[in-house]
Amino acid sequence: MEKGLAQLLGQKPAMEVGGLSRNGEKRMKRKDILEKKKAVDEAMKAASSVKDPLVSFSPFCHYDTIGLSVHLKSGRGDKLSSPIKQYIQNLLKVNMEGSYGSEWPAEEKVKRREMVAPEARYIFVHSFPDSGTNEMTALLGTGKTSDTITGARATIVGFVQYRFTIEEDLPVVYVYELQLEPSVQGKGLGRFLMQLIELIACKNSMGAVVLTVQKANFSAMNFYVGKLRYTIASISPSRVNPLIGVDSSYEILCKAFSDEAKAKLEVTSDALSSLLVEEEMKKDKEEEDGRKKQRRRESEKLSLIVQGH
């Protein structure tokens, strides 16, 4: 009777209304997912199409401080000259071999492939020891390649390698390398370059900057976490599976800009502090185990000497 009355009045039964509502919710959810994917794809396409990201940040193309004057220039992995490739390989070996230890030979091969990938983007740091800022700008504006300039007066003293990519369905800038020669470290240049990377990320609608750091590289970990306020990302091995991740040789760090990126990628400061404490405890234990082994070896040697007499 109630159903007949509802039909007579042009209304649908409650169960049918509920069924349509659920179907409608599914369609809306699917629509939202597709729209979000479209927005991410468009952001990635737009970012990748920019030939020179530094054009939008001309004030950041120079960095001057006491004892250091540099000019920045963009590059791409598939456009590197042979001298530049060799320079990158040499600097990576100098700066990173110690952190990777026995893993370096295999890691070096990976880095060589990453170095020349078409999607690899670069910011090269050129130093002109005997030239002023105006002369630097004039020389770099001649259209000469990086290696030609290097052979003339400039010297490349470092670089940043980064990519526009997707993590957790979010468009991000992933910093593959930030490498500076020892002679220009400790002058604020690394912080300056990372600020520029963050500006490039925001300009291109990226949700975050993401990077990987070796746990054994304590100075780098302190630089990113302590000075630049990066946090251990939710996609880092120590967060994905703490039981297994604690033995991983690296952490993935991030700095998120959008609310969605913060929700998906960032770890709370308490969790970060706990992880850092765990790392310190692990390091202390390894050092203590090493001292115990050393004492045991010395004791065994002493026993052999006593037995010999």
Side-chain angles (χ1 to χ4, degrees):
M1 182 68 179
E2 291 179 356
K3 182 177 180 180
L5 181 60
Q7 291 173 338
L8 186 63
L9 294 174
Q11 300 172 352
K12 294 186 182 294
M15 186 165 56
E16 291 184 28
V17 172
L20 286 173
S21 178
R22 284 193 292 272
N23 289 335
E25 287 176 2
K26 289 180 180 178
R27 284 196 295 271
M28 287 299 294
K29 187 175 182 180
R30 177 173 173 77
K31 182 181 178 182
D32 290 343
I33 292 173
L34 291 175
E35 287 181 350
K36 187 176 292 185
K37 184 179 185 303
K38 182 181 178 182
V40 170
D41 290 343
E42 288 177 351
M44 291 295 297
K45 184 178 180 180
S48 300
S49 67
V50 178
K51 292 184 178 180
D52 186 357
L54 293 182
V55 170
S56 300
F57 304 100
S58 54
F60 281 80
C61 288
H62 300 278
Y63 179 77
D64 295 285
T65 188
I66 298 174
L68 180 65
S69 181
V70 300
H71 183 93
L72 308 183
K73 188 176 181 181
S74 295
R76 285 181 44 163
D78 56 352
K79 302 292 184 181
L80 300 178
S81 64
S82 295
I84 297 296
K85 291 177 187 177
Q86 189 61 55
Y87 172 82
I88 291 171
Q89 292 174 20
N90 291 344
L91 186 57
L92 282 169
K93 184 178 178 66
V94 169
N95 285 353
M96 303 304 295
E97 186 174 19
S99 297
Y100 281 97
S102 61
E103 297 177 6
W104 175 247
E107 188 62 29
E108 186 177 27
K109 293 179 181 178
V110 174
K111 290 184 180 295
R112 285 183 180 180
R113 291 195 298 270
E114 294 173 346
M115 174 182 71
V116 296
E119 59 269 26
R121 298 289 184 269
Y122 284 88
I123 298 174
F124 289 106
V125 183
H126 297 265
S127 175
F128 288 72
D130 301 319
S131 299
T133 299
N134 293 334
E135 190 172 349
M136 282 192 284
T137 305
L139 185 57
L140 286 165
T142 59
K144 295 181 179 179
T145 60
S146 297
D147 54 304
T148 302
I149 294 173
T150 303
R153 296 181 185 178
T155 301
I156 297 180
V157 293
F159 66 91
V160 183
Q161 182 198 146
Y162 65 98
R163 298 186 189 187
F164 297 106
T165 186
I166 297 175
E167 292 288 348
E168 297 296 285
D169 299 323
L170 295 168
V172 303
V173 167
Y174 207 116
V175 177
Y176 275 58
E177 305 289 349
L178 169 55
Q179 302 294 340
L180 299 175
E181 294 189 12
S183 61
V184 298
Q185 294 178 16
K187 299 179 183 293
L189 181 56
R191 182 193 290 270
F192 177 81
L193 290 169
M194 286 305 300
Q195 288 174 339
L196 176 56
I197 288 292
E198 291 166 14
L199 288 173
I200 291 173
C202 292
K203 173 73 174 177
N204 290 277
S205 302
M206 300 291 109
V209 172
V210 183
L211 53 93
T212 302
V213 178
Q214 289 296 113
K215 291 180 179 179
N217 194 342
F218 296 110
S219 61
M221 188 68 79
N222 179 63
F223 171 69
Y224 290 113
V225 176
K227 295 182 179 179
L228 301 187
R229 302 303 180 192
Y230 277 67
T231 65
I232 296 178
S234 60
I235 57 175
S236 190
S238 62
R239 298 300 296 165
V240 174
N241 190 330
L243 293 178
I244 299 175
V246 71
D247 294 323
S248 173
S249 61
Y250 66 92
E251 294 283 9
I252 298 176
L253 308 182
C254 74
K255 180 180 284 188
F257 308 121
S258 68
D259 291 339
E260 184 181 11
K262 289 177 181 178
K264 287 187 174 182
L265 292 174
E266 285 193 343
V267 177
T268 65
S269 58
D270 289 342
L272 176 60
S273 298
S274 176
L275 287 169
L276 292 177
V277 169
E278 288 178 8
E279 286 301 317
E280 286 297 323
M281 292 176 64
K282 181 181 178 183
K283 180 174 176 288
D284 291 342
K285 185 177 183 303
E286 290 174 350
E287 291 176 351
E288 180 59 28
D289 290 343
R291 287 192 290 269
K292 287 180 179 179
K293 288 180 181 178
Q294 182 63 27
R295 288 196 294 268
R296 190 159 51 246
R297 285 194 293 267
E298 291 174 353
S299 178
E300 289 172 353
K301 287 180 180 179
L302 183 60
S303 298
L304 290 173
I305 291 173
V306 171
Q307 291 173 8
H309 286 288

